[in-house]
Amino acid sequence: MIIKENSESEESAISGHQRHRAKWRHYWELLWFKTYMDLKIETQITYLGFFWWFLEPVFFLFIYYYIFAIILKTRTPYFIEFLFVGVVAWRWFAPAMSRSCRSIKSQARLMREIYVSKLIFPASVVLNDAFKFVIIFFILLTFLAVFHNKPNLLWLAVVPNFICQLTIIFGYSFCFAAVTPFIPDFPLVIQTFTFALMMVSGIFFDVLAAPPHLAYILQLNPIADVLINYRLPLINHHSPQWGYMLYTFVFGCVLNIIGIYSIRRNERIFSKVCA
Amino acid sequence: MSEIIVSLKNVGLCYKKRFSLKKRKSTTYWALQDINLEIFHGQSIGICGRNGAGKSTLLRVLAGIVSPSRGMITIAEGVRSGLLTLQSGFNPYLNGADNAILKGLYMGMKKEYIQSKMNEIIELSGLGVAFYNSIETYSSGMAARLGFAVNYFCMPDLLLIDETLSVGDKQFKQKSKLLIRELIQSNKTVVIVSHDEDALASLTSKVYTLENGILTS
C-alpha cells in the first residue's frame, strides 16, 4: 500500500519543499474560510442570527445564578463568580469535544469525491467554538469588572491559559475525530466521558480546597487546571499555577501529536471506512 | 513518448464489512483485484465496465482519495488529480459565490484565484442574479450547473470523469458536452468511466474494459 510521488533531482527536492509550504498555506486558507462560513451559516438558519451567540450564554449564566444564588441561597463568598468562570470555560470544552468527534465522519460524502486533508474538519469545529467562547468570555469579564473588582494586570494571565485550553481542545478533538470513523459507538463513549469530566473538573467545587492527595489526583486532569488558572487571577487576585499551566500545555501538545499523526496516517482510509 | 503522470502496479483494493456484535464475522470484498495502468501526460483514456465493476473505485484510487490495499500507485510530483464532481462540497445555506469559493478551496485552488474567476463562473453557469441566492433555493439542475462551472475553472491536471454527465437542461447539456470534448482534445489528461463503450471509443484514444476488478485493454 504505497502512494508515492516521484522526486528525482535535487531541484525537485527544493521545489518539493516550496510545494509543501504552499500546501500548508492552502490548508490555513481553507480552514479559516470554512470556519467563517460555518459561523455565517449559523447566523442564517435562525431568526435571531448572531444575537444567539450573546443570548444563549447570558440565559445560561442566568439559570445558574437563579438556581445557586436565589433558590439555594449559596453563602460561600464569591461562589457565583467562581461558578460562572467554571461554567464558561467548560462551555468551550463540552461542545467542541462532542461536535469534533463526529466531524470527520459527517463529511463522508465530500470525502468520497474530493481529496481534502481531514484535519480541516475537527480544526474548524474547534475554531468555531473558540470564537463563540471569546464572546462569552468577554461577557464574563464585563460581569466580573462590574460586580467583582476592577481589572488588573493579573488578568493578563488568562491569555496564556487560553492558549493552553485551545491546545488541549485541539488535541482531544483530533484524537476523537480520528477514532469515530472506525468505531461508530465512539460518540456515545465520549458523551459519558464528557459527563465524567464535567463532574471531576471542579466546575461546581474547588479542587484546591480538597485534601492534598485528592487535589493532586484531580489536577492530573488538565481541564481542572485550566479552570483553576482562570479563577486564581480573575477571582482570587492570585497569580496562576504556572507549573500546572505548563503541564496543561505539554499535555495538549502530546494529544495534538497523537491526534494529528492518527489523522494523517489514515487520510486515505477514512473515505473507505465512512462509505 | 511524453512523461507518465500516474502509474498503477498490481493495485488491489478491498472493502471490509464492519465488525459488529450481531454479525461477528467480518467479510472482505475486493473491488479491484490487480490493476496495471500507466497514464501519460495529455492522454485520454476510457474505462468501460458494467455496474459494480469497480469503475468508481478505480477513479477514487486515481484521484488519491483512497489508498489501495495492495500494490503501488505512483503519481508524478505536483500533479493534481481530481474527480469531476457536481454537487459535493456545496452547503445549501450559502450563496453561489461562497459555495464556489469553498468548493474551489476544497479542490486545492487559491481563494484569490476563484474570486478572480467569479464573473466567468457566473457566465458559464448561466445562473445570473440567482448566483447570489442561497443554494437551497436552486433546482438540482441549477446546482449541478454551478458545480460544473466551478469544476471547469479549478480543473486538475488529471481529470477523472464518472459516467456521461447529464447536467441541467438540454441547452446546458450541449454546452457541457462540448466543453468536455474540448478538454479531451486539448492537452488535458482525462480518464472517463462509463458503461457505454461506443461513446467512450468516440471520445477517447484508448478504451479499457474493467470486469471483476481486472483491467483489460
Side-chain angles (χ1 to χ4, degrees), chain A residues 27 84 93 98 117 133 156 160 175 227 230 232 254 261 265 273:
Chain A
Y27 283 165
F84 276 16
F93 281 115
S98 65
S117 175
F133 171 75
L156 288 178
C175 291
L227 262 54
Y230 275 129
L232 284 175
V254 172
Y261 174 77
R265 215 184 125 85
V273 292

Side-chain angles (χ1 to χ4, degrees), chain B residues 119-186:
Chain B
N119 286 333
E120 289 162 80
I121 291 174
I122 298 174
E123 202 183 321
L124 180 61
S125 64
L127 287 169
V129 213
F131 187 71
Y132 292 100
N133 296 338
S134 63
I135 295 226
E136 60 180 342
T137 63
Y138 288 19
S139 68
S140 53
M142 284 160 82
R145 273 150 58 187
L146 176 62
F148 184 86
V150 176
N151 266 278
Y152 186 78
F153 289 103
C154 302
M155 204 56 82
D157 310 307
L158 171 61
L159 179 66
L160 308 161
I161 305 174
D162 200 343
E163 303 285 330
T164 22
L165 289 158
S166 46
V167 185
D169 51 29
K170 198 178 164 191
Q171 199 187 349
F172 190 78
K173 225 182 261 181
Q174 272 174 346
K175 201 156 113 185
S176 62
K177 230 178 204 167
L178 217 70
L179 286 169
I180 290 176
R181 200 171 278 270
E182 190 187 301
L183 281 171
I184 292 169
Q185 281 156 4
S186 73

